[in-house]
Amino acid sequence: MSSMSEEADPSENRAVARSAAAGHLPSRVTFNRFELNRILNLYGRMVADGEWRDYAIDFLRDRAVFSVFRRASEVPIYRIEKDPRLARKQGIYSVISASGLILRRGHELDRVLLVIDRKLAVV
């Protein structure tokens, strides 16, 4: 009897096993290596052109945000967001302007970044 009272309730064990099998949601959303590499390549080109000067990365519970600044003391001119909740709807990635306007949203990061990625054009 004493061993039975010391052990946990069997239904609690099943609940723990069920939640582990279902896959626990990550505590934070992050950019993977490919995504961060693509964003930092764009950032490097814009810094070389003298348009951008600083950035910030925030890994929040519901989304990851890469903010771009002209100066460190200003509000971000662009925010590149990854929101997994929108993966089946409008798209997981979005580019948002300083005014809060969503410039582009989609499922592929490269296509979303085209809205702010100005490449040289032959004239």
Side-chain angles (χ1 to χ4, degrees), residues 32-70:
N32 64 30
R33 183 179 295 223
F34 168 76
E35 295 163 341
L36 202 54
N37 187 29
R38 176 64 178 96
I39 293 169
L40 288 174
N41 282 339
L42 172 62
Y43 175 78
R45 278 186 307 199
M46 295 303 229
V47 167
D49 290 342
E51 292 188 35
W52 297 352
R53 294 191 184 265
D54 200 7
Y55 72 91
I57 301 176
D58 297 311
F59 298 125
L60 306 172
R61 181 174 293 268
D62 59 340
R63 66 186 187 272
V65 182
F66 187 95
S67 302
V68 178
F69 299 87
R70 275 210 181 125

Side-chain angles (χ1 to χ4, degrees), residues 4-95:
M4 192 67 147
S5 62
E6 292 175 7
E7 291 183 24
D9 184 22
S11 62
E12 290 176 2
N13 291 338
R14 284 194 303 264
V16 169
R18 191 178 319 120
S19 66
H24 189 279
L25 293 175
S27 61
R28 298 184 309 181
V29 177
T30 61
F31 292 109
N32 64 30
R33 183 179 295 223
F34 168 76
E35 295 163 341
L36 202 54
N37 187 29
R38 176 64 178 96
I39 293 169
L40 288 174
N41 282 339
L42 172 62
Y43 175 78
R45 278 186 307 199
M46 295 303 229
V47 167
D49 290 342
E51 292 188 35
W52 297 352
R53 294 191 184 265
D54 200 7
Y55 72 91
I57 301 176
D58 297 311
F59 298 125
L60 306 172
R61 181 174 293 268
D62 59 340
R63 66 186 187 272
V65 182
F66 187 95
S67 302
V68 178
F69 299 87
R70 275 210 181 125
R71 291 179 192 82
S73 62
E74 295 181 350
V75 297
I77 54 175
Y78 296 112
R79 288 189 334 250
I80 302 163
E81 293 191 1
K82 176 182 179 181
D83 192 347
R85 295 175 300 169
L86 300 175
R88 293 186 177 204
K89 296 178 184 173
Q90 298 101 344
I92 194 168
Y93 304 105
S94 59
V95 174

Side-chain angles (χ1 to χ4, degrees), residues 95-104:
V95 174
I96 303 170
S97 70
S99 63
L101 179 68
I102 297 174
L103 301 176
R104 185 169 287 177

